[in-house]
């Protein structure tokens, strides 16, 4: 079965500090992709970062990076130098290259304190 | 501009009525998806389609139906059999394979359905 679990309903971070959001997933397939999406109060979904499972190197996008631990099926998101605009709900997602199924976790609401 | 459009933004229906949510994309994407978002439960997959005239049930398909008669369109019908239809519904589309550089799923702005 393909599952995604986010165990932190809410997180908070001080502006300019670093925060890590956790995500674990389960899949029996070898062809899959992982994503982090951001949903601000407007509810528009925005891609933050993506990771191909066959790549060992962790993806980075400016202040955003992931820690992809394939054996542990863990895919955490690190936000460095947090900004007020980072406040949003963050969703971890898994895409199966075999079935075309794209599923999401429960989400983590991130609060950024000035 | 290319994008994915959901309409309407807000929808009100009486209990017992079927209602259809619209989703149209002009991104030339093969795959389309429907999700339901409830507080504390994240995005749950209702149906998805990889090709015209074919679709698969997601994790919570009961009480919903879809059609994929055109590549650009993937309407979702919330039937009277859906026990708790009030929710925020999101539609998305993506290329068939996520192998391309920067490939991702794009989302519409959502439809808030309220059943009274």
């Amino acid at each position: 079965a393909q599952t995604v679990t986010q165990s932190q309903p809410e997180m908070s971070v001080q502006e300019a500090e670093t925060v890590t959001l956790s995500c674990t997933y389960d899949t029996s397939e070898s062809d899959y992709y992982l994503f982090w999406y951001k949903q601000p109060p407007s509810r528009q979904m925005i891609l933050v970062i993506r990771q191909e499972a066959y790549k060992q190197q962790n993806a980075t996008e400016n202040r955003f990076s992931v820690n992809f631990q394939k054996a542990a099926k863990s895919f955490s998101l690190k936000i460095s130098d947090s900004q007020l605009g980072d406040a949003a709900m963050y969703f971890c997602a898994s895409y199966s290259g075999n079935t075309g199924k794209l599923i999401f976790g429960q989400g983590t609401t991130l609060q950024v304190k000035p | 501009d290319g994008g994915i459009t959901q309409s309407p933004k807000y929808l009100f229906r009486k209990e017992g009525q079927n209602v259809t949510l619209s989703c149209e994309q002009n991104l030339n994407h093969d795959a389309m998806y429907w999700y339901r978002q409830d507080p504390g439960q994240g995005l749950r997959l209702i149906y998805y389609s990889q090709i015209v005239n074919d679709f698969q049930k997601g994790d919570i398909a009961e009480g919903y139906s879809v059609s994929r008669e055109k590549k650009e369109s993937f309407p979702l019908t919330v039937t009277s059999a859906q026990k708790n239809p009030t929710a925020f519904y999101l539609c998305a589309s993506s290329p068939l394979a996520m192998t391309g550089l920067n490939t991702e799923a794009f989302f519409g702005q959502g439809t808030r359905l309220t059943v009274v």
Side-chain angles (χ1 to χ4, degrees), chain B residues 36-37 74 103-104 106:
Chain B
R36 170 181 173 139
Q37 184 174 11
F74 192 41
T103 303
E104 62 180 277
F106 291 85

Side-chain angles (χ1 to χ4, degrees), chain B residues 58-112:
Chain B
D59 298 322
I60 56 164
E62 185 175 352
Y64 299 97
S65 66
V66 293
S67 63
R68 188 85 188 275
E69 297 177 1
K70 299 186 300 181
K71 186 176 183 178
E72 302 79 17
S73 179
F74 192 41
L76 173 74
T77 296
V78 184
T79 75
S80 56
Q82 168 51 233
K83 297 190 185 313
N84 187 17
T86 294
F88 185 68
Y89 291 87
L90 276 166
C91 179
S93 71
S94 76
L96 191 56
M98 293 284 197
T99 53
L101 187 64
N102 298 325
T103 303
E104 62 180 277
F106 291 85
F107 284 80
Q109 293 192 310
T111 293
R112 173 68 185 178

Side-chain angles (χ1 to χ4, degrees), chain A residues 22-104:
Chain A
S22 301
C23 173
T24 58
Y25 65 93
D26 195 13
T27 180
S28 58
E29 301 175 14
S30 59
D31 181 18
Y32 63 94
Y33 302 79
L34 300 168
F35 303 85
W36 278 98
Y37 275 84
K38 170 184 177 180
Q39 187 184 49
S42 68
R43 306 195 91 166
Q44 180 64 50
M45 297 284 284
I46 303 164
L47 178 68
V48 175
I49 199 165
R50 55 170 271 154
Q51 174 83 42
E52 292 89 343
Y54 61 84
K55 288 187 177 179
Q56 292 185 334
Q57 187 174 7
N58 289 327
T60 63
E61 285 287 341
N62 301 315
R63 298 183 295 107
F64 299 88
S65 62
V66 298
N67 183 6
F68 176 42
Q69 299 290 323
K70 193 170 184 177
K73 295 184 177 176
S74 170
F75 184 61
S76 60
L77 174 69
K78 185 172 84 171
I79 306 174
S80 304
D81 185 26
S82 296
Q83 301 175 359
L84 295 177
D86 294 333
M89 181 166 283
Y90 287 80
F91 290 99
C92 179
S94 162
Y95 175 84
S96 163
N98 293 328
T99 65
K101 194 174 183 182
L102 175 65
I103 63 167
F104 287 78

